[in-house]
mmCIF file of all heavy atoms in Angstrom:
data_model
loop_
_atom_site.group_PDB
_atom_site.id
_atom_site.type_symbol
_atom_site.label_atom_id
_atom_site.label_comp_id
_atom_site.label_asym_id
_atom_site.label_seq_id
_atom_site.Cartn_x
_atom_site.Cartn_y
_atom_site.Cartn_z
ATOM 1 N N ASN A 1 -83.620 -79.926 -22.557
ATOM 2 C CA ASN A 1 -82.268 -79.376 -22.529
ATOM 3 C C ASN A 1 -82.019 -78.575 -21.243
ATOM 4 O O ASN A 1 -80.928 -78.643 -20.646
ATOM 5 C CB ASN A 1 -82.038 -78.482 -23.747
ATOM 6 C CG ASN A 1 -82.052 -79.271 -25.042
ATOM 7 O OD1 ASN A 1 -81.889 -80.490 -25.047
ATOM 8 N ND2 ASN A 1 -82.269 -78.578 -26.159
ATOM 9 N N ALA A 2 -83.043 -77.830 -20.810
ATOM 10 C CA ALA A 2 -82.901 -77.045 -19.582
ATOM 11 C C ALA A 2 -82.764 -77.943 -18.362
ATOM 12 O O ALA A 2 -81.943 -77.692 -17.467
ATOM 13 C CB ALA A 2 -84.102 -76.107 -19.416
ATOM 14 N N ALA A 3 -83.555 -79.034 -18.315
ATOM 15 C CA ALA A 3 -83.457 -79.970 -17.185
ATOM 16 C C ALA A 3 -82.100 -80.669 -17.174
ATOM 17 O O ALA A 3 -81.504 -80.891 -16.113
ATOM 18 C CB ALA A 3 -84.593 -80.991 -17.264
ATOM 19 N N THR A 4 -81.612 -81.004 -18.383
ATOM 20 C CA THR A 4 -80.285 -81.641 -18.468
ATOM 21 C C THR A 4 -79.192 -80.695 -17.992
ATOM 22 O O THR A 4 -78.263 -81.096 -17.276
ATOM 23 C CB THR A 4 -80.016 -82.076 -19.912
ATOM 24 O OG1 THR A 4 -81.035 -82.980 -20.341
ATOM 25 C CG2 THR A 4 -78.666 -82.754 -20.024
ATOM 26 N N ALA A 5 -79.286 -79.431 -18.369
ATOM 27 C CA ALA A 5 -78.295 -78.457 -17.929
ATOM 28 C C ALA A 5 -78.347 -78.255 -16.423
ATOM 29 O O ALA A 5 -77.303 -78.095 -15.761
ATOM 30 C CB ALA A 5 -78.514 -77.130 -18.653
ATOM 31 N N GLU A 6 -79.557 -78.291 -15.852
ATOM 32 C CA GLU A 6 -79.702 -78.170 -14.401
ATOM 33 C C GLU A 6 -79.045 -79.344 -13.682
ATOM 34 O O GLU A 6 -78.327 -79.174 -12.690
ATOM 35 C CB GLU A 6 -81.191 -78.092 -14.044
ATOM 36 C CG GLU A 6 -81.484 -78.029 -12.556
ATOM 37 C CD GLU A 6 -81.063 -76.725 -11.919
ATOM 38 O OE1 GLU A 6 -80.960 -75.715 -12.649
ATOM 39 O OE2 GLU A 6 -80.847 -76.707 -10.690
ATOM 40 N N ALA A 7 -79.272 -80.556 -14.197
ATOM 41 C CA ALA A 7 -78.656 -81.736 -13.586
ATOM 42 C C ALA A 7 -77.137 -81.705 -13.720
ATOM 43 O O ALA A 7 -76.407 -82.068 -12.787
ATOM 44 C CB ALA A 7 -79.229 -83.007 -14.228
ATOM 45 N N THR A 8 -76.648 -81.252 -14.886
ATOM 46 C CA THR A 8 -75.198 -81.169 -15.079
ATOM 47 C C THR A 8 -74.570 -80.168 -14.114
ATOM 48 O O THR A 8 -73.491 -80.410 -13.557
ATOM 49 C CB THR A 8 -74.889 -80.767 -16.529
ATOM 50 O OG1 THR A 8 -75.469 -81.733 -17.422
ATOM 51 C CG2 THR A 8 -73.403 -80.710 -16.776
ATOM 52 N N ALA A 9 -75.268 -79.050 -13.880
ATOM 53 C CA ALA A 9 -74.761 -78.051 -12.942
ATOM 54 C C ALA A 9 -74.712 -78.606 -11.521
ATOM 55 O O ALA A 9 -73.748 -78.355 -10.771
ATOM 56 C CB ALA A 9 -75.620 -76.791 -12.994
ATOM 57 N N LYS A 10 -75.725 -79.387 -11.136
ATOM 58 C CA LYS A 10 -75.724 -79.985 -9.799
ATOM 59 C C LYS A 10 -74.587 -81.007 -9.660
ATOM 60 O O LYS A 10 -73.937 -81.092 -8.609
ATOM 61 C CB LYS A 10 -77.067 -80.641 -9.519
ATOM 62 C CG LYS A 10 -78.211 -79.653 -9.313
ATOM 63 C CD LYS A 10 -79.506 -80.370 -8.979
ATOM 64 C CE LYS A 10 -80.625 -79.366 -8.720
ATOM 65 N NZ LYS A 10 -81.909 -80.059 -8.403
ATOM 66 N N ALA A 11 -74.365 -81.785 -10.704
ATOM 67 C CA ALA A 11 -73.267 -82.757 -10.663
ATOM 68 C C ALA A 11 -71.920 -82.045 -10.551
ATOM 69 O O ALA A 11 -71.026 -82.489 -9.805
ATOM 70 C CB ALA A 11 -73.300 -83.646 -11.909
ATOM 71 N N SER A 12 -71.763 -80.938 -11.253
ATOM 72 C CA SER A 12 -70.516 -80.174 -11.163
ATOM 73 C C SER A 12 -70.334 -79.588 -9.772
ATOM 74 O O SER A 12 -69.214 -79.546 -9.239
ATOM 75 C CB SER A 12 -70.495 -79.069 -12.214
ATOM 76 O OG SER A 12 -70.534 -79.618 -13.516
ATOM 77 N N GLN A 13 -71.449 -79.133 -9.164
ATOM 78 C CA GLN A 13 -71.367 -78.600 -7.816
ATOM 79 C C GLN A 13 -70.965 -79.685 -6.819
ATOM 80 O O GLN A 13 -70.158 -79.454 -5.909
ATOM 81 C CB GLN A 13 -72.713 -77.971 -7.417
ATOM 82 C CG GLN A 13 -72.727 -77.319 -6.053
ATOM 83 C CD GLN A 13 -71.774 -76.132 -5.970
ATOM 84 O OE1 GLN A 13 -71.533 -75.448 -6.957
ATOM 85 N NE2 GLN A 13 -71.230 -75.897 -4.783
ATOM 86 N N ALA A 14 -71.524 -80.893 -7.004
ATOM 87 C CA ALA A 14 -71.150 -82.009 -6.131
ATOM 88 C C ALA A 14 -69.675 -82.366 -6.305
ATOM 89 O O ALA A 14 -68.969 -82.657 -5.326
ATOM 90 C CB ALA A 14 -72.035 -83.221 -6.422
ATOM 91 N N ALA A 15 -69.193 -82.351 -7.561
ATOM 92 C CA ALA A 15 -67.778 -82.633 -7.798
ATOM 93 C C ALA A 15 -66.895 -81.560 -7.158
ATOM 94 O O ALA A 15 -65.805 -81.860 -6.647
ATOM 95 C CB ALA A 15 -67.510 -82.709 -9.298
ATOM 96 N N LEU A 16 -67.367 -80.306 -7.156
ATOM 97 C CA LEU A 16 -66.611 -79.226 -6.525
ATOM 98 C C LEU A 16 -66.528 -79.439 -5.017
ATOM 99 O O LEU A 16 -65.458 -79.278 -4.412
ATOM 100 C CB LEU A 16 -67.285 -77.893 -6.845
ATOM 101 C CG LEU A 16 -66.716 -76.662 -6.149
ATOM 102 C CD1 LEU A 16 -65.248 -76.475 -6.513
ATOM 103 C CD2 LEU A 16 -67.521 -75.419 -6.515
ATOM 104 N N GLU A 17 -67.644 -79.823 -4.396
ATOM 105 C CA GLU A 17 -67.625 -80.071 -2.953
ATOM 106 C C GLU A 17 -66.731 -81.259 -2.614
ATOM 107 O O GLU A 17 -66.028 -81.261 -1.594
ATOM 108 C CB GLU A 17 -69.053 -80.317 -2.464
ATOM 109 C CG GLU A 17 -69.942 -79.078 -2.571
ATOM 110 C CD GLU A 17 -71.395 -79.374 -2.252
ATOM 111 O OE1 GLU A 17 -71.695 -80.553 -1.952
ATOM 112 O OE2 GLU A 17 -72.212 -78.449 -2.306
ATOM 113 N N ASN A 18 -66.733 -82.273 -3.458
ATOM 114 C CA ASN A 18 -65.868 -83.431 -3.232
ATOM 115 C C ASN A 18 -64.391 -83.039 -3.343
ATOM 116 O O ASN A 18 -63.543 -83.502 -2.566
ATOM 117 C CB ASN A 18 -66.202 -84.529 -4.239
ATOM 118 C CG ASN A 18 -65.427 -85.800 -3.979
ATOM 119 O OD1 ASN A 18 -65.556 -86.420 -2.926
ATOM 120 N ND2 ASN A 18 -64.605 -86.211 -4.936
ATOM 121 N N ALA A 19 -64.076 -82.168 -4.295
ATOM 122 C CA ALA A 19 -62.696 -81.701 -4.438
ATOM 123 C C ALA A 19 -62.263 -80.900 -3.213
ATOM 124 O O ALA A 19 -61.116 -80.997 -2.762
ATOM 125 C CB ALA A 19 -62.558 -80.856 -5.699
ATOM 126 N N ARG A 20 -63.167 -80.081 -2.668
ATOM 127 C CA ARG A 20 -62.849 -79.354 -1.444
ATOM 128 C C ARG A 20 -62.603 -80.300 -0.270
ATOM 129 O O ARG A 20 -61.694 -80.093 0.539
ATOM 130 C CB ARG A 20 -63.987 -78.389 -1.114
ATOM 131 C CG ARG A 20 -64.045 -77.166 -2.025
ATOM 132 C CD ARG A 20 -65.267 -76.336 -1.740
ATOM 133 N NE ARG A 20 -65.302 -75.151 -2.583
ATOM 134 C CZ ARG A 20 -66.412 -74.468 -2.829
ATOM 135 N NH1 ARG A 20 -67.582 -74.868 -2.308
ATOM 136 N NH2 ARG A 20 -66.380 -73.392 -3.609
ATOM 137 N N LEU A 21 -63.431 -81.346 -0.180
ATOM 138 C CA LEU A 21 -63.234 -82.327 0.887
ATOM 139 C C LEU A 21 -61.881 -83.009 0.768
ATOM 140 O O LEU A 21 -61.164 -83.186 1.764
ATOM 141 C CB LEU A 21 -64.350 -83.374 0.856
ATOM 142 C CG LEU A 21 -65.658 -83.020 1.568
ATOM 143 C CD1 LEU A 21 -66.670 -84.132 1.378
ATOM 144 C CD2 LEU A 21 -65.420 -82.775 3.042
ATOM 145 N N ASN A 22 -61.524 -83.412 -0.445
ATOM 146 C CA ASN A 22 -60.239 -84.073 -0.645
ATOM 147 C C ASN A 22 -59.080 -83.177 -0.234
ATOM 148 O O ASN A 22 -58.087 -83.643 0.328
ATOM 149 C CB ASN A 22 -60.087 -84.514 -2.094
ATOM 150 C CG ASN A 22 -60.970 -85.688 -2.444
ATOM 151 O OD1 ASN A 22 -61.372 -86.453 -1.565
ATOM 152 N ND2 ASN A 22 -61.292 -85.842 -3.718
ATOM 153 N N LEU A 23 -59.216 -81.881 -0.511
ATOM 154 C CA LEU A 23 -58.162 -80.951 -0.101
ATOM 155 C C LEU A 23 -58.105 -80.841 1.423
ATOM 156 O O LEU A 23 -57.021 -80.769 2.014
ATOM 157 C CB LEU A 23 -58.402 -79.582 -0.730
ATOM 158 C CG LEU A 23 -57.338 -78.515 -0.447
ATOM 159 C CD1 LEU A 23 -55.969 -78.987 -0.933
ATOM 160 C CD2 LEU A 23 -57.721 -77.193 -1.097
ATOM 161 N N GLU A 24 -59.270 -80.846 2.080
ATOM 162 C CA GLU A 24 -59.291 -80.811 3.540
ATOM 163 C C GLU A 24 -58.679 -82.076 4.125
ATOM 164 O O GLU A 24 -58.011 -82.036 5.170
ATOM 165 C CB GLU A 24 -60.725 -80.646 4.041
ATOM 166 C CG GLU A 24 -61.328 -79.284 3.777
ATOM 167 C CD GLU A 24 -62.736 -79.177 4.317
ATOM 168 O OE1 GLU A 24 -63.163 -80.102 5.054
ATOM 169 O OE2 GLU A 24 -63.412 -78.181 4.022
ATOM 170 N N TYR A 25 -58.897 -83.211 3.457
ATOM 171 C CA TYR A 25 -58.367 -84.480 3.967
ATOM 172 C C TYR A 25 -56.842 -84.521 3.906
ATOM 173 O O TYR A 25 -56.227 -85.398 4.530
ATOM 174 C CB TYR A 25 -58.936 -85.648 3.167
ATOM 175 C CG TYR A 25 -60.413 -85.888 3.383
ATOM 176 C CD1 TYR A 25 -61.188 -86.530 2.412
ATOM 177 C CD2 TYR A 25 -61.042 -85.479 4.551
ATOM 178 C CE1 TYR A 25 -62.542 -86.749 2.611
ATOM 179 C CE2 TYR A 25 -62.390 -85.691 4.747
ATOM 180 C CZ TYR A 25 -63.132 -86.326 3.768
ATOM 181 O OH TYR A 25 -64.476 -86.553 3.966
ATOM 182 N N CYS A 26 -56.225 -83.593 3.184
ATOM 183 C CA CYS A 26 -54.759 -83.550 3.164
ATOM 184 C C CYS A 26 -54.190 -83.123 4.511
ATOM 185 O O CYS A 26 -53.010 -83.347 4.785
ATOM 186 C CB CYS A 26 -54.271 -82.588 2.074
ATOM 187 S SG CYS A 26 -54.564 -83.181 0.399
ATOM 188 N N THR A 27 -55.005 -82.500 5.352
ATOM 189 C CA THR A 27 -54.604 -82.138 6.710
ATOM 190 C C THR A 27 -55.309 -83.092 7.664
ATOM 191 O O THR A 27 -56.537 -83.062 7.788
ATOM 192 C CB THR A 27 -54.985 -80.687 7.027
ATOM 193 O OG1 THR A 27 -54.357 -79.816 6.075
ATOM 194 C CG2 THR A 27 -54.542 -80.305 8.426
ATOM 195 N N ILE A 28 -54.546 -83.955 8.327
ATOM 196 C CA ILE A 28 -55.107 -84.974 9.209
ATOM 197 C C ILE A 28 -55.025 -84.452 10.638
ATOM 198 O O ILE A 28 -53.942 -84.152 11.149
ATOM 199 C CB ILE A 28 -54.337 -86.304 9.070
ATOM 200 C CG1 ILE A 28 -54.406 -86.789 7.619
ATOM 201 C CG2 ILE A 28 -54.895 -87.351 10.013
ATOM 202 C CD1 ILE A 28 -53.601 -88.044 7.364
ATOM 203 N N ARG A 29 -56.178 -84.344 11.289
ATOM 204 C CA ARG A 29 -56.262 -83.785 12.640
ATOM 205 C C ARG A 29 -56.654 -84.864 13.641
ATOM 206 O O ARG A 29 -57.226 -85.900 13.283
ATOM 207 C CB ARG A 29 -57.287 -82.641 12.682
ATOM 208 C CG ARG A 29 -56.968 -81.508 11.703
ATOM 209 C CD ARG A 29 -58.026 -80.423 11.747
ATOM 210 N NE ARG A 29 -57.747 -79.364 10.776
ATOM 211 C CZ ARG A 29 -56.985 -78.320 11.016
ATOM 212 N NH1 ARG A 29 -56.446 -78.167 12.219
ATOM 213 N NH2 ARG A 29 -56.776 -77.407 10.086
ATOM 214 N N SER A 30 -56.371 -84.588 14.899
ATOM 215 C CA SER A 30 -56.728 -85.522 15.962
ATOM 216 C C SER A 30 -58.239 -85.486 16.195
ATOM 217 O O SER A 30 -58.811 -84.410 16.370
ATOM 218 C CB SER A 30 -55.995 -85.167 17.259
ATOM 219 O OG SER A 30 -56.447 -85.975 18.321
ATOM 220 N N PRO A 31 -58.909 -86.641 16.224
ATOM 221 C CA PRO A 31 -60.358 -86.649 16.438
ATOM 222 C C PRO A 31 -60.763 -86.543 17.906
ATOM 223 O O PRO A 31 -61.952 -86.434 18.198
ATOM 224 C CB PRO A 31 -60.774 -88.007 15.853
ATOM 225 C CG PRO A 31 -59.579 -88.872 16.052
ATOM 226 C CD PRO A 31 -58.375 -87.978 15.925
ATOM 227 N N LEU A 32 -59.806 -86.593 18.834
ATOM 228 C CA LEU A 32 -60.134 -86.548 20.258
ATOM 229 C C LEU A 32 -58.920 -86.087 21.066
ATOM 230 O O LEU A 32 -57.808 -86.005 20.546
ATOM 231 C CB LEU A 32 -60.615 -87.921 20.754
ATOM 232 C CG LEU A 32 -59.819 -89.173 20.377
ATOM 233 C CD1 LEU A 32 -58.567 -89.325 21.212
ATOM 234 C CD2 LEU A 32 -60.673 -90.418 20.529
ATOM 235 N N ASP A 33 -59.170 -85.796 22.345
ATOM 236 C CA ASP A 33 -58.078 -85.512 23.276
ATOM 237 C C ASP A 33 -57.497 -86.838 23.746
ATOM 238 O O ASP A 33 -58.236 -87.713 24.215
ATOM 239 C CB ASP A 33 -58.588 -84.722 24.486
ATOM 240 C CG ASP A 33 -59.102 -83.346 24.101
ATOM 241 O OD1 ASP A 33 -58.717 -82.862 23.022
ATOM 242 O OD2 ASP A 33 -59.884 -82.770 24.867
ATOM 243 N N GLY A 34 -56.186 -86.995 23.629
ATOM 244 C CA GLY A 34 -55.584 -88.252 24.035
ATOM 245 C C GLY A 34 -54.077 -88.196 23.940
ATOM 246 O O GLY A 34 -53.471 -87.129 23.816
ATOM 247 N N ASP A 35 -53.487 -89.386 24.000
ATOM 248 C CA ASP A 35 -52.033 -89.520 23.910
ATOM 249 C C ASP A 35 -51.698 -90.335 22.670
ATOM 250 O O ASP A 35 -52.271 -91.412 22.460
ATOM 251 C CB ASP A 35 -51.472 -90.211 25.152
ATOM 252 C CG ASP A 35 -51.623 -89.357 26.397
ATOM 253 O OD1 ASP A 35 -52.726 -89.336 26.964
ATOM 254 O OD2 ASP A 35 -50.638 -88.722 26.799
#
């Protein structure tokens, strides 16, 4: 049960990081200097 809870917590943390990335992707920036 403890190992399962540890894995579930890691999966939730990964989902949290993915949600943060998706929010960052809402702002599209230039990848280089150009025209």
Side-chain angles (χ1 to χ4, degrees):
N1 294 341
T4 302
E6 177 69 23
T8 302
K10 289 182 178 179
S12 298
Q13 183 64 31
L16 174 60
E17 293 173 0
N18 185 62
R20 287 174 178 160
L21 276 177
N22 288 336
L23 183 58
E24 290 181 10
Y25 291 155
C26 290
T27 302
I28 301 176
R29 302 178 182 273
S30 174
L32 47 77
D33 296 339
D35 293 80

